[in-house]
Amino acid sequence: LFENLYLTTTNGSLNCDPNFCLLLTTLKDSWVTNCSIYYGYKYNVYMTLCAHCAIAHNDIRFSKSTGTSCAGILVDEDSGCLIEDNILADGLGPPLEFNGGFCGNAVFGNYGTNINNNDYVCHNLHPVGNLFEANKLTCAFLMDGYFGSASHQTLFRNEFASPFIPVAFKRWTTFMNVVGNVMGTASSAYTNYSANVPGQNYE
């Protein structure tokens, strides 16, 4: 579908502010590979209502806005999809946001650095049955419980190099699998695993 392309909203004197650099919707057996996708106003890539699709080997960087709604990749209502070997960097917040209906997918071998917010964030109800494996993140993995519940996510062999709370499962998060991950840094203020962190709601 998309291969070896450079997509940006800023190019010299040309400038525009669409919500997405790339919108993928109602696709099957499609892919985005080896692309450079820069300066989304809200989201660089949005994939929704897709099946058996891949976002792989891309360089996804920079946001023209700040705050929690400037993700590198936003996904919801997708199944059987693969997000693999992407660089997610430079001001994205978060690099990956997964929301309701994101079920039965794999997020594998991605690298995030110089991030504006948490690295991977669940921000809507109820994604289920996804695998997050071998990702290297310089911030955190967050199930924020903001709009409702989530369950049955597997975090396997990732590195969450946050100096703060590297993994946070907030209210209405159940049946999570966390196996073989490296959490925090040598200078982390949090050295113990705990269900109750002051100032946080982990119901």
Side-chain angles (χ1 to χ4, degrees):
L1 180 65
F2 290 96
E3 295 181 349
N4 306 310
L5 296 176
Y6 178 89
L7 303 175
T8 183
T9 64
T10 301
N11 185 11
S13 61
L14 300 176
N15 189 58
C16 57
D17 293 326
N19 282 337
F20 320 110
C21 285
L22 181 60
L23 172 62
L24 309 169
T25 184
T26 59
L27 299 177
K28 180 182 178 185
D29 300 323
S30 301
W31 58 90
V32 178
T33 61
N34 298 314
C35 293
S36 297
I37 306 171
Y38 298 160
Y39 290 108
Y41 177 68
K42 288 289 187 181
Y43 306 98
N44 287 26
V45 180
Y46 180 26
M47 181 170 68
T48 182
L49 299 166
C50 292
H52 305 117
C53 293
I55 301 173
H57 319 300
N58 301 290
D59 187 19
I60 301 173
R61 298 174 185 259
F62 310 115
S63 174
K64 296 174 80 172
S65 61
T66 59
T68 58
S69 297
C70 51
I73 301 173
L74 171 66
V75 289
D76 60 34
E77 299 185 280
D78 304 304
S79 186
C81 293
L82 175 65
I83 300 173
E84 178 183 28
D85 189 32
N86 299 286
I87 296 173
L88 303 162
D90 298 326
L92 302 174
L96 174 69
E97 180 179 325
F98 59 104
N99 289 332
F102 187 68
C103 302
N105 303 284
V107 180
F108 181 83
N110 299 283
Y111 178 73
T113 187
N114 192 22
I115 303 307
N116 180 46
N117 209 313
N118 293 293
D119 274 297
Y120 288 8
V121 176
C122 171
H123 190 54
N124 212 321
L125 75 163
H126 184 106
V128 64
N130 298 296
L131 170 65
F132 298 85
E133 182 176 355
N135 300 284
K136 181 176 174 61
L137 314 177
T138 55
C139 287
F141 187 100
L142 173 63
M143 308 292 291
D144 69 11
Y146 193 87
F147 288 108
S149 61
S151 69
H152 296 87
Q153 312 295 319
T154 296
L155 282 59
F156 180 54
R157 298 190 309 139
N158 301 283
E159 181 179 342
F160 303 111
S162 171
F164 304 105
I165 302 172
V167 175
F169 300 152
K170 294 192 177 181
R171 57 190 181 273
W172 306 310
T173 300
T174 57
F175 300 106
M176 302 294 289
N177 304 300
V178 183
V179 181
N181 299 278
V182 176
M183 296 190 186
T185 64
S187 61
S188 176
Y190 298 92
T191 57
N192 298 314
Y193 295 99
S194 174
N196 297 298
V197 177
Q200 301 289 333
N201 182 357
Y202 290 88
E203 296 175 358

